[in-house]
Amino acid sequence: MVERFRAFSFVDRITRLEPGRRIEGQYTVPATATRFPASLMAEAVGQLAAWAAMSHVGYAYRPVAGLAGETRYHGTIAPGQTLELEADIERCDEEAIAYGGKASIDGRCVIELNHCVGPMLPMEEFDAPDAVHADFETLRGPGAPAGRFSGVAAPVIKLIEHVGGEKLRAELHVPAEAPFFGDHFPRRPVFPGTLLMDCLSTLALQLAREAPSLQGAELAPSKFTDVKIRSFTAPGQTLELQVDLQSATAEAAQLKLAARAEGKGVATARIEIARRQ
Amino acid sequence: MQQQVISKEEIDAVFPKVAQIIADALGCDVEDVKPQVPLIEGLDAESIDFLDLVFRLERGFGVKIPRGKIIEDARGDLAEADFEQKGILTDAGLARLREVLSEVSPDRFKSPMKAADIPRLFTPETFCKTVIRAQRAAQAAA
């Protein structure tokens, strides 16, 4: 498939690997990328850790998005910039990978992830193990071709309930077709959890702006905690998103995030929206 | 292998912290986390929650809880084929499970019982005992 290893792959090169312990790599956002949400920096660190996990278990299993205890944002990234990626593997077996990691630009940390866990599932459900192994060798050797990612379209979110300064509910219409489904994953298209978090953070930002203590301030997501992805979201699915403002000070707002499909929980998280430093 | 007895006092000592960790993992009120409430039927826990819970307990108590530890504790020195066959617990396996999960009401053990249904029996007290065994293992290894 033409989009495989292109449309949603955020590691260009693996520069160092201590099997089962640590991995380092790089990713350059193509200068031509139309939209690169901040949550894709977390995706890049997670994908780097996934390469460590998949190679560790002989490509028989692959991790999927599960838990992210804490993700702190310290900066942003622009097209053309390069992320230096690193991940420390706390545990890796056929059940799960547990890891932490970070990404830096020119030596400055822009995102750090702590206490992340990716449940491992049989690789055959998602991709061809031999092809994944070959991609790993490419990343370890010459590196992947540059400029593979072209950007993701802005999500289609429709507000269905708005209680000023308290709550937002909206529908997210996951596209039935998108280039990233060809890469995430080739045998089983799944809407990426990091894009779901991007949609929820967009709503959270809107609600945080209504907090009296933050009105008029320039705000940005500063921290996600307790992210939990409970089930896969398929192409074309409609999700109900809900954001609740829990508290706000002069510096930051704390909000609860949830996504459901047909009444069943798909994902939950907490987010802090803070004044931009 | 005879399971070492865990006293009520030991369970009571770790329960408040285990209950808070369960409440944090499941996003429920700590008051709802009673020692013997079934986590799946009573608190809507799913498989991802158990994974979350084990990692939170490891961090919270500074112990290691290996993969499949509860079932491994139940199996003890029984060979896998003596514990379950084709996914169904043997009589010996069921007896061992009853012994290890002594906190679980006897009427909740079905016969025949699928190995895949074992997590349906888990309660907060199950995880208290898992933590205590992990603490003992760590002390023994020190």
Side-chain angles (χ1 to χ4, degrees):
Chain A
M1 186 177 290
V2 69
E3 298 296 0
R4 190 184 175 285
F5 201 45
R6 292 184 60 87
F8 207 73
S9 290
F10 302 110
V11 178
D12 287 340
R13 188 183 298 270
I14 294 170
T15 52
R16 186 173 169 219
L17 178 68
E18 293 174 39
R21 295 172 56 86
R22 182 174 167 81
I23 187 168
E24 296 175 4
Q26 291 176 334
Y27 177 68
T28 299
V29 180
T32 52
T34 52
R35 183 170 174 269
F36 190 87
S39 65
L40 292 185
M41 295 193 292
E43 179 74 36
V45 177
Q47 289 191 6
L48 183 76
W51 283 114
M54 293 186 290
S55 61
H56 191 64
V57 299
Y59 311 96
Y61 295 86
R62 69 149 303 131
V64 295
L67 309 166
E70 181 185 74
T71 306
R72 288 178 176 272
Y73 287 87
H74 303 294
T76 56
I77 186 167
Q81 287 186 308
T82 296
L83 290 169
E84 299 290 339
L85 308 167
E86 55 190 275
D88 289 301
I89 314 303
E90 296 159 17
R91 174 174 151 182
C92 183
D93 53 35
E94 293 172 358
E95 183 190 40
I97 176 177
Y99 67 95
K102 67 178 185 175
S104 306
I105 301 173
D106 297 329
R108 184 175 55 88
C109 177
V110 287
I111 188 170
E112 57 180 316
L113 286 73
N114 297 306
H115 306 313
C116 297
V117 179
M120 297 282 248
L121 294 174
M123 178 73 83
E124 291 278 1
E125 288 181 26
F126 299 91
D127 205 344
D130 288 348
V132 176
H133 188 176
D135 293 340
F136 176 81
E137 295 303 330
T138 298
L139 295 176
R140 281 291 276 156
R148 295 171 295 160
F149 176 72
S150 58
V152 287
V156 179
I157 301 174
K158 180 180 156 198
L159 276 185
I160 52 178
E161 186 183 0
H162 183 187
V163 182
E166 287 183 24
K167 177 167 88 168
L168 277 178
R169 275 198 315 129
E171 276 182 356
L172 168 66
H173 298 284
V174 175
E177 291 180 10
F180 56 74
F181 284 129
D183 198 11
H184 191 278
F185 300 94
R187 287 184 178 171
R188 182 174 180 181
V190 171
F191 187 61
T194 44
L195 292 185
L196 176 55
M197 287 302 134
D198 175 53
C199 296
L200 285 162
S201 69
T202 301
L203 287 174
L205 198 54
Q206 181 179 340
L207 192 58
R209 288 195 181 105
E210 297 174 0
S213 58
L214 293 169
Q215 278 181 6
E218 193 182 349
L219 302 174
S222 53
K223 185 170 69 172
F224 281 90
T225 49
D226 297 334
V227 173
K228 188 177 288 188
I229 308 290
R230 294 182 173 278
S231 59
F232 290 132
T233 299
Q237 203 168 355
T238 296
L239 301 183
E240 185 188 308
L241 310 182
Q242 182 164 334
V243 177
D244 291 279
L245 181 66
Q246 299 209 291
S247 64
T249 65
E251 296 305 316
Q254 312 291 331
L255 304 100
K256 260 177 82 169
L257 313 176
R260 296 181 200 87
E262 295 167 1
K264 194 173 182 308
V266 168
T268 49
R270 297 175 192 278
I271 191 171
E272 178 183 84
I273 304 282
R275 286 179 187 266
R276 234 184 239 282
Q277 296 297 314
Chain B
M1 182 179 66
Q2 186 63 38
Q3 297 291 337
Q4 287 184 305
V5 173
I6 295 174
S7 70
K8 183 174 182 309
E9 288 71 24
E10 285 177 288
I11 292 170
D12 289 346
V14 298
F15 178 73
K17 188 167 172 178
V18 170
Q20 187 59 59
I21 288 171
I22 290 173
D24 291 344
L26 301 184
C28 65
D29 292 332
V30 70
E31 292 75 23
D32 294 334
V33 185
K34 308 293 185 198
Q36 292 176 11
V37 64
L39 290 173
I40 291 179
E41 276 93 2
L43 295 175
D44 297 329
E46 299 175 11
S47 58
I48 188 76
D49 295 312
F50 286 117
L51 199 56
D52 190 10
L53 190 48
V54 166
F55 280 100
R56 285 174 186 262
L57 289 170
E58 286 191 343
R59 291 198 297 273
F61 285 93
V63 295
K64 285 283 173 203
I65 302 174
R67 182 166 66 102
K69 180 68 178 146
I70 296 175
I71 294 173
E72 185 188 302
D73 283 343
R75 215 179 81 195
D77 57 1
L78 281 182
E80 192 162 348
D82 293 334
F83 184 72
E84 65 161 286
Q85 288 185 353
K86 294 180 180 172
I88 305 292
L89 293 192
T90 62
D91 288 346
L94 192 57
R96 188 63 69 90
L97 192 67
R98 281 199 175 101
E99 184 185 333
V100 171
L101 300 182
S102 58
E103 70 280 6
V104 176
S105 168
D107 63 312
R108 296 188 57 229
F109 291 87
K110 309 293 181 205
S111 184
M113 180 163 181
K114 293 180 188 169
D117 284 341
I118 293 175
R120 293 190 171 278
L121 301 171
F122 295 168
T123 67
E125 197 167 322
T126 309
F127 285 92
C128 289
K129 290 163 74 173
T130 301
V131 165
I132 292 164
R133 289 193 187 99
Q135 288 174 325
R136 287 179 179 177
Q139 284 166 3

